[in-house]
């Protein structure tokens, strides 16, 4: 009777412990559709070729009672396709098999007179037994372009629709190995935390839905935004009732781009609103300010109407600083100052040393005020007798000398070049050492023995009061070298002159430059003054008479190689520069100004903490000059020139205070040559690239026309400043020797600060000796190179000095890199 049924049916008996079923019988419809049943041997061989996964599914289907399973069409090798169960029974199944139902149930049967129970299986088409909605849903899911996935609570893939399988090329065993982490990637990078969060949201937190949006490049390289929607689902397939997570993907690139554009537009609108709000607040503040200004103007107008009219005057009493502030206020308020006014203020700032004085006040009082000459001069003396009296006296004296020298220059104001080799005869040389040889008997005996050992002269020292003549040629050779060398070692002269380099070199230069003859100075009085100054120098490691002699030698080179030829110095200023170099560190205690001020040293108290060391140097030097009740070496100098000499020495020595460095250099930079068309003097800021890359100055030094007396004094100050640190330009071995001695002097102050329980000053702690070396590059870059570079730009003939500085800088810079 079953053989007449058109529905495929077959009987089988499950065998415990075996992975296949024993088929007893199959009707005609089953054999026509699925082929004849396999023999037991074929089933065993087939089972061995299958993996455990699909066969366990087949076994579950074939042995279950009252089991119902929908078998989907597709590839027969799909590991979860229950059609593999049919392959255990029948020889062939059509790969394009449509959706079918497999129904299993108990079937009573009498075999050989004994009642037994076997399984009867029936295959029916889905169309015959399923709800049409279910069929259409399954077909729609199969063909849907939206990728759909079903994952278990461990993140393993259970099922995916056709498009999802094709995208990842999933088939066979690769399906069970596919995990949710492989799906949730961003820009090709794994995002395991996103997968963990999704599994937790669905299976642990039991959320109704979970959404993630990721960005990844498409096959054409364009960025594509993908939205992953996740829901919890219940798996009702018998034997697989565990909860699952359904994931569907959606391309939301266009939507995301619109969202990003909307967010950008919202941000821009928000910034615009903030800007409008700020503008509104600024406008309100400006209105309040304008009202306050209006009220102030009304009050000033009311006050002005009540004030009596002042008489008009031709004197402009507005100071340079006030004019500059007025120009800045005009530009801040959006106005455009007159070019002529800006140029006038600029020139006044370059020219004036005190910006809180009216522009050209002396000129106005004497020539434009309508006052008589004596009243005008009295007003000048009254109103300009300020703290800058020395500078004013220098300017006044230079102007007087310049006016007197109109036409043919006066002989006492004619610049002189050093003429030592030609003008110093043997007799003059011997007189030089005669003036400098007032030594004690012990010193004379030491010189005699040194001369005897060097020359083997038995009668050396016949004149105990004088230098042995055999020493003269050696010292004179060093003096001639000092007069013409940019790399002279002052230590050699100190050794040869029995540690009297300052008085020896000072007398030699004053004599060789012709200044003694020009001012009719008495040689013995000059020699006595030089010796007294040299004895007053303390035997410090750095600030000693040897240092002063080195400064004098380098300043002489600057004087003779530019300052004389350019017309910056006349004879009086030449003499001032030589004497300032000789006296600039007189009686230096080896301590800094800051130490004297902190410890309330008597020197700081005397000079009110204003450049105490420099003020002491110049004051004590003049006390030595005028200490004797007899004649002084400056007595033969004319009164006007003598006043200029004193005022210049004061300004030159006070200018060596490093606290004034940037102020002095800033004013000096303003008078340097500028490119055509540049009016603004510019700032002091200068980079190392600018210092190194600027073109080398010319070898000649043309006359500097147009410099005011104040500017000439400023050039001399910068020259002395450069000479004061000229060891930076010395040969490397000499430069490092000076650096070592300066470090030792610093350490001695640090030791003293430690003994006084004071905070040790930077670079002065002997226990941190590396600090000095580290500071060298910074000192070169910030202080030295701008100073020397600026000076050479004005005086090109001093370039050898700059070359030496650059060589030492490169050495320190290289050591810093190591």
């Amino acid at each position: 009777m079953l053989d007449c049924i058109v529905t495929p049916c077959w009987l089988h008996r499950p065998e415990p412990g075996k992975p296949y079923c024993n088929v007893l019988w199959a009707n005609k419809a089953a054999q026509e559709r699925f082929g004849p049943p396999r023999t037991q041997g074929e089933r065993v061989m087939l089972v061995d070729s299958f993996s455990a996964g699909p066969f366990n599914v087949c076994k579950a289907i074939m042995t279950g009672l009252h089991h119902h399973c929908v078998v989907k069409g597709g590839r027969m090798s799909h590991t979860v396709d229950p059609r593999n169960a049919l392959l255990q029974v029948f020889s062939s199944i059509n790969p394009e098999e449509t959706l079918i139902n497999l129904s299993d149930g108990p079937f009573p049967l009498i075999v050989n007179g004994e009642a037994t129970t076997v399984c009867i299986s029936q295959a029916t088409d889905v169309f015959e037994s399923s709800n049409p909605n279910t069929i259409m849903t399954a077909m729609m899911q199969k063909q849907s372009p939206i990728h759909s996935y079903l994952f278990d609570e461990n993140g393993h893939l259970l099922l995916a629709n056709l498009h999802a399988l094709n995208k990842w090329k999933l088939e066979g065993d690769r399906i069970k190995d596919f995990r949710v982490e492989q799906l949730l990637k961003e820009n090709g990078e794994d995002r395991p935390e996103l997968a963990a969060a999704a599994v937790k949201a669905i299976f642990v937190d039991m959320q109704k839905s979970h959404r993630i949006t990721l960005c990844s490049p498409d096959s054409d390289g364009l960025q594509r935004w993908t939205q992953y929607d996740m829901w919890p689902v219940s798996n009702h397939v018998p034997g697989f009732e565990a909860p699952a997570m359904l994931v569907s993907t959606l391309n939301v690139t266009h939507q995301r781009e619109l969202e990003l554009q909307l967010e950008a537009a919202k941000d821009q609108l928000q910034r615009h609103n903030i800007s409008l709000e700020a503008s509104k607040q600024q406008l309100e503040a400006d209105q309040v300010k304008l009202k306050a200004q209006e009220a102030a103007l009304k009050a000033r107008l009311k006050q002005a109407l009540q004030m009596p009219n002042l008489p008009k005057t031709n004197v402009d009493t507005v100071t340079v600083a006030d004019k500059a502030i007025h120009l800045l206020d005009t530009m801040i308020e959006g106005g455009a100052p007159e070019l002529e006014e800006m140029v006038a203020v600029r020139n006044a700032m370059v020219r004036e040393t005190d910006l809180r004085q009216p522009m050209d006040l002396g000129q106005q009082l004497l020539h434009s005020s309508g006052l008589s000459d004596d009243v005008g001069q009295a007003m000048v003396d009254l109103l300009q007798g300020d703290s800058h009296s020395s500078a004013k006296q220098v300017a006044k004296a230079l102007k007087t000398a310049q006016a007197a020298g109109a036409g043919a220059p006066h002989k006492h104001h004619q610049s002189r070049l050093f003429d030592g080799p030609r003008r110093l005869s043997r007799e003059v040389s011997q007189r030089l050492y005669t003036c400098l040889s007032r030594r004690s008997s012990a010193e004379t005996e030491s010189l005699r023995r040194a001369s005897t050992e060097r020359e083997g002269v038995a009668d050396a020292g016949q004149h105990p009061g004088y230098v042995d003549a055999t020493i003269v040629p050696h010292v004179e050779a060093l003096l001639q070298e000092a007069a013409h060398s940019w790399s002279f070692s002052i230590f050699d002269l100190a050794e040869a002159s029995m540690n009297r380099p300052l008085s020896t070199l000072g007398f030699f230069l004053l004599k060789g430059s012709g200044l003694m003859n020009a001012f009719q100075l008495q040689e013995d009085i000059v020699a006595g003054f030089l010796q007294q100054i040299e004895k007053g120098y303390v035997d410090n490691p750095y600030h000693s008479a040897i240092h002063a002699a080195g400064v004098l030698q380098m300043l002489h080179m600057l004087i003779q190689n530019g300052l004389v030829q350019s017309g910056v110095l006349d004879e009086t200023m030449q003499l001032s520069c030589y004497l300032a170099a000789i006296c600039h560190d007189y009686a230096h205690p080896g301590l800094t100004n800051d130490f004297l001020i902190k410890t309330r040293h008597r020197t700081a108290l005397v000079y009110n903490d204003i450049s105490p060391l420099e003020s002491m140097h110049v004051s004590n030097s003049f006390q030595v000059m005028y200490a004797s009740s007899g004649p002084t070496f400056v007595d033969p100098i004319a009164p006007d020139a003598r006043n200029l000499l004193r005022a210049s020495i004061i300004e030159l020595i006070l200018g060596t205070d490093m606290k004034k460095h940037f102020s002095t250099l800033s004013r000096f930079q303003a008078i340097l040559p500028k490119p055509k068309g540049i009016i603004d003097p510019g700032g002091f800021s200068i980079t190392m690239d600018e210092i190194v890359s600027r073109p080398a100055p010319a070898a000649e030094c043309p006359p500097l026309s147009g410099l005011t007396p104040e500017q000439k004094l400023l050039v001399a100050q910068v020259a002395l400043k450069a000479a004061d640190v000229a060891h930076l330009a010395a040969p490397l071995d000499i430069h490092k020797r000076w650096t070592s001695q300066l470090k030792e002097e610093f350490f001695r102050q640090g030791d003293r600060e430690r003994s006084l329980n004071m905070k040790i000053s930077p670079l002065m702690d002997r226990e941190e000796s590396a600090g000095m070396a580290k500071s060298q590059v910074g000192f070169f870059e910030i202080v030295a190179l701008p100073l020397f570079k600026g000076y050479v730009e004005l005086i090109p003939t001093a370039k050898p000095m700059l070359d030496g500085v650059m060589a030492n800088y490169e050495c320190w810079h290289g050591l810093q890199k190591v």
Side-chain angles (χ1 to χ4, degrees):
M1 181 178 67
L2 293 176
D3 207 28
C4 299
I5 299 175
V6 296
T7 301
C9 298
W10 62 93
L11 297 177
H12 59 93
R13 176 185 291 134
E15 296 188 11
K18 294 184 179 181
Y20 57 84
C21 303
N22 185 17
V23 178
L24 302 176
W25 172 84
N27 70 349
K28 182 178 180 180
Q31 295 188 43
E32 289 177 353
R33 185 165 181 175
F34 303 123
R38 298 182 184 274
T39 66
Q40 182 176 351
E42 291 176 341
R43 287 195 297 273
V44 173
M45 293 178 62
L46 186 63
V47 168
D48 292 339
S49 65
F50 275 84
S51 63
F55 187 74
N56 288 337
V57 176
C58 298
K59 180 178 179 181
I61 293 175
M62 299 297 290
T63 60
L65 298 180
H66 303 288
H67 180 69
H68 181 76
C69 180
V70 176
V71 182
K72 296 181 179 181
R75 297 184 181 181
M76 294 178 61
S77 61
H78 197 294
T79 57
V80 296
D81 192 344
R83 280 178 303 175
N84 288 323
L86 298 179
L87 287 174
Q88 305 299 317
V89 181
F90 301 100
S91 58
S92 64
I93 296 179
N94 186 358
E96 301 298 331
E97 181 63 61
T98 59
L99 298 176
I100 61 174
N101 278 340
L102 292 179
S103 300
D104 298 328
F107 186 80
L109 185 65
I110 298 176
V111 180
N112 296 326
E114 295 183 1
T116 184
T117 301
V118 297
C119 291
I120 182 171
S121 295
Q122 183 179 11
T124 59
D125 291 333
V126 174
F127 299 102
E128 300 174 4
S129 59
S130 299
N131 187 317
N133 291 335
T134 302
I135 299 172
M136 288 188 290
T137 300
M139 294 182 64
M140 183 174 61
Q141 176 67 14
K142 176 181 178 181
Q143 301 297 329
S144 173
I146 298 177
H147 299 171
S148 298
Y149 308 84
L150 195 66
F151 293 94
D152 64 13
E153 59 185 346
N154 294 320
H156 293 282
L157 180 64
L158 297 174
L159 187 65
N161 67 348
L162 185 60
H163 283 83
L165 295 173
N166 291 338
K167 170 181 172 59
W168 296 98
K169 296 181 176 57
L170 296 177
E171 60 182 16
D173 291 343
R174 295 188 61 191
I175 293 179
K176 66 177 181 179
D177 296 331
F178 190 80
R179 295 180 59 84
V180 67
E181 288 89 345
Q182 297 171 255
L183 181 64
L184 301 179
K185 290 188 175 184
E186 185 172 25
N187 293 323
E189 299 291 336
D190 292 337
R191 296 293 301 277
E193 72 280 3
L194 297 180
V199 172
K200 180 177 181 296
I202 298 300
F203 294 104
V204 179
D205 299 338
M206 304 299 291
Q207 296 181 7
K208 293 182 179 181
S209 63
H210 185 69
R211 175 174 293 175
I212 299 174
T213 303
L214 300 176
C215 181
S216 297
D218 208 343
S219 58
D220 54 2
L222 299 177
Q223 294 294 104
R224 186 184 71 175
W225 289 89
T226 303
Q227 177 178 297
Y228 298 85
D229 292 310
M230 307 168 193
W231 303 273
V233 295
S234 297
N235 189 354
H236 296 292
V237 178
F240 300 92
E241 291 84 358
M245 177 175 65
L246 177 63
V247 181
S248 64
T249 63
L250 181 64
N251 187 351
V252 292
T253 301
H254 183 62
Q255 175 185 345
R256 183 60 178 168
E257 289 176 352
L258 292 177
E259 290 176 354
L260 293 176
Q261 292 176 7
L262 179 60
E263 291 176 2
K266 288 173 61 178
D267 291 342
Q268 185 177 2
L269 180 61
Q270 185 177 7
R271 289 194 298 269
H272 184 63
N273 290 338
I274 294 174
S275 177
L276 290 177
E277 183 65 25
S279 300
K280 177 182 176 183
Q281 294 177 359
Q282 183 63 41
L283 180 60
E284 293 174 352
D286 292 342
Q287 290 177 347
V288 173
K289 183 178 179 180
L290 288 174
K291 289 182 180 180
Q293 292 178 352
E294 181 181 2
L297 289 175
K298 287 182 179 179
R300 290 176 60 186
L301 178 61
K302 181 178 179 180
Q303 183 181 8
L305 293 175
Q306 296 174 352
M307 293 291 291
N309 293 329
L310 298 177
K312 293 184 178 180
T313 176
N314 295 327
V315 178
D316 182 5
T317 57
V318 181
T319 67
V320 179
D322 291 334
K323 287 181 178 291
I325 293 173
H326 172 70
L327 290 177
L328 293 174
D329 288 341
T330 301
M331 289 186 287
I332 291 173
E333 295 171 0
E338 294 292 334
L339 179 61
E340 292 79 3
E341 184 181 6
M342 290 192 294
V343 173
V345 173
R346 180 262 176 193
N347 292 336
M349 294 181 70
V350 172
R351 182 175 61 254
E352 297 292 338
T353 56
D354 187 357
L355 299 183
R356 286 299 180 182
Q357 284 284 334
M359 292 173 53
D360 300 320
L361 178 60
Q363 184 75 11
Q364 293 185 72
L365 292 174
L366 293 176
H367 303 287
S368 304
S369 62
L371 302 175
S372 61
D373 293 343
D374 55 346
V375 174
Q377 186 60 55
M379 292 292 290
V380 170
D381 295 341
L382 174 65
L383 297 176
Q384 290 192 332
D386 54 11
S387 59
H388 297 279
S389 58
S390 296
K392 296 297 182 182
Q393 291 181 28
V394 173
K396 178 181 177 181
L398 288 175
K399 289 177 181 178
T400 302
Q402 189 175 15
H410 190 273
K411 68 175 183 177
H412 290 328
H413 297 284
Q414 183 178 2
S415 300
R416 293 177 178 271
L417 288 174
F418 187 82
D419 198 16
R422 178 171 59 85
R423 298 178 60 188
L424 287 184
S425 63
R426 173 59 56 192
E427 179 182 359
V428 174
S429 298
Q430 186 60 47
R431 287 174 56 196
L432 182 154
Y433 291 103
T434 300
C435 294
L436 295 180
S437 60
R438 298 189 181 94
R439 294 179 169 85
S440 65
S441 58
E443 291 177 315
T444 303
E445 178 61 22
S446 176
L447 283 174
R448 188 194 65 78
R449 284 198 302 268
S451 175
T452 302
E453 292 173 358
R454 180 183 305 165
E455 302 293 341
V457 180
D459 59 348
Q462 293 178 358
H463 304 283
Y466 301 98
V467 178
D468 195 321
T470 57
I471 299 179
V472 172
H474 175 61
V475 176
E476 187 178 40
L478 290 175
L479 292 174
Q480 298 291 358
E481 180 185 354
H484 300 90
S485 174
W486 290 100
S487 57
F488 180 70
S489 173
I490 198 64
F491 295 107
D492 293 343
L493 181 60
E495 181 180 358
S497 63
M498 296 300 293
N499 205 29
R500 290 198 175 184
L502 183 60
S503 56
T504 304
L505 180 62
F507 189 93
F508 177 77
L509 295 179
L510 292 176
K511 184 66 177 179
S513 62
L515 293 175
M516 285 193 182
N517 292 334
F519 290 101
Q520 299 179 355
L521 304 180
Q522 296 187 30
E523 295 178 358
D524 55 343
I525 300 179
V526 172
F529 169 76
L530 294 177
Q531 287 179 329
Q532 287 297 111
I533 292 294
E534 188 166 39
K535 289 179 181 179
Y537 272 87
V538 182
D539 188 19
N540 296 312
Y542 182 83
H543 291 98
S544 62
I546 300 177
H547 163 70
V551 174
L552 173 63
Q553 190 271 334
M554 182 54 73
L555 183 62
H556 165 76
M557 293 299 297
L558 297 178
I559 291 173
Q560 298 299 319
N561 293 275
L563 294 180
V564 171
Q565 300 93 324
S566 63
V568 172
L569 303 181
D570 62 10
E571 284 185 338
T572 305
M573 285 298 296
Q574 267 187 266
L575 181 59
S576 301
C577 288
Y578 280 129
L579 293 176
I582 292 170
C583 302
H584 82 283
D585 275 334
Y586 176 70
H588 196 294
L591 304 168
T592 63
N593 276 330
D594 290 338
F595 180 87
L596 299 182
I597 294 172
K598 288 179 182 178
T599 57
R600 296 180 177 86
H601 192 277
R602 181 178 180 278
T603 301
L605 296 178
V606 169
Y607 299 105
N608 300 314
D609 298 346
I610 302 175
S611 302
L613 282 175
E614 291 72 23
S615 299
M616 181 267 292
H617 299 326
V618 66
S619 176
N620 289 1
S621 298
F622 278 109
Q623 291 182 39
V624 172
M625 183 182 298
Y626 295 105
S628 175
S629 59
T632 66
F633 79 88
V634 296
D635 288 345
I637 303 175
D640 289 343
R642 194 187 312 148
N643 292 336
L644 173 60
L645 182 72
R646 172 171 164 77
S648 300
I649 293 175
I650 293 174
E651 287 300 305
L652 290 170
I653 295 180
L654 292 181
T656 61
D657 185 358
M658 286 302 294
K659 291 289 195 302
K660 301 178 180 179
H661 173 77
F662 288 107
S663 173
T664 301
L665 195 55
S666 176
R667 290 187 290 119
F668 179 76
Q669 291 277 349
I671 67 175
L672 294 180
K674 299 172 183 63
K676 186 177 181 181
I678 299 298
I679 297 177
D680 193 326
F684 167 68
S685 299
I686 181 170
T687 65
M688 286 307 303
D689 291 338
E690 292 173 336
I691 291 176
V692 177
S693 62
R694 284 185 184 178
E700 298 180 355
C701 183
L704 296 174
S705 59
L707 291 183
T708 64
E710 293 88 345
Q711 291 172 338
K712 291 181 178 180
L713 175 63
L714 178 61
V715 174
Q717 282 181 309
V718 173
L720 180 58
K721 284 176 61 65
D724 196 16
V725 291
H727 72 86
L728 300 176
L732 184 60
D733 57 335
I734 300 176
H735 163 60
K736 287 193 172 182
R737 181 174 177 180
W738 279 119
T739 302
S740 177
Q741 294 185 193
L742 178 60
K743 181 169 66 173
E744 174 58 28
E745 187 168 307
F746 279 179
F747 287 163
R748 291 185 183 183
Q749 176 173 317
D751 296 341
R752 190 166 179 178
E753 289 171 337
R754 181 179 284 107
S755 66
L756 295 174
N757 294 323
M758 296 173 58
K759 180 180 179 181
I760 300 179
S761 301
L763 306 180
M764 298 187 183
D765 191 345
R766 193 180 296 273
E767 298 177 0
E768 298 179 5
S769 58
M772 187 69 171
K774 293 180 180 179
S775 69
Q776 286 299 309
V777 173
F779 186 81
F780 270 92
E781 293 180 350
I782 297 173
V783 177
L785 286 174
L787 172 67
F788 287 100
K789 182 69 174 181
Y791 182 84
V792 173
E793 286 180 357
L794 187 69
I795 310 293
T797 49
K799 187 174 181 297
M801 177 181 62
L802 177 61
D803 294 339
V805 176
M806 286 300 303
N808 289 327
Y809 166 73
E810 293 296 339
C811 177
W812 286 109
H813 192 263
L815 291 176
Q816 188 185 55
K817 292 181 178 180
V818 176

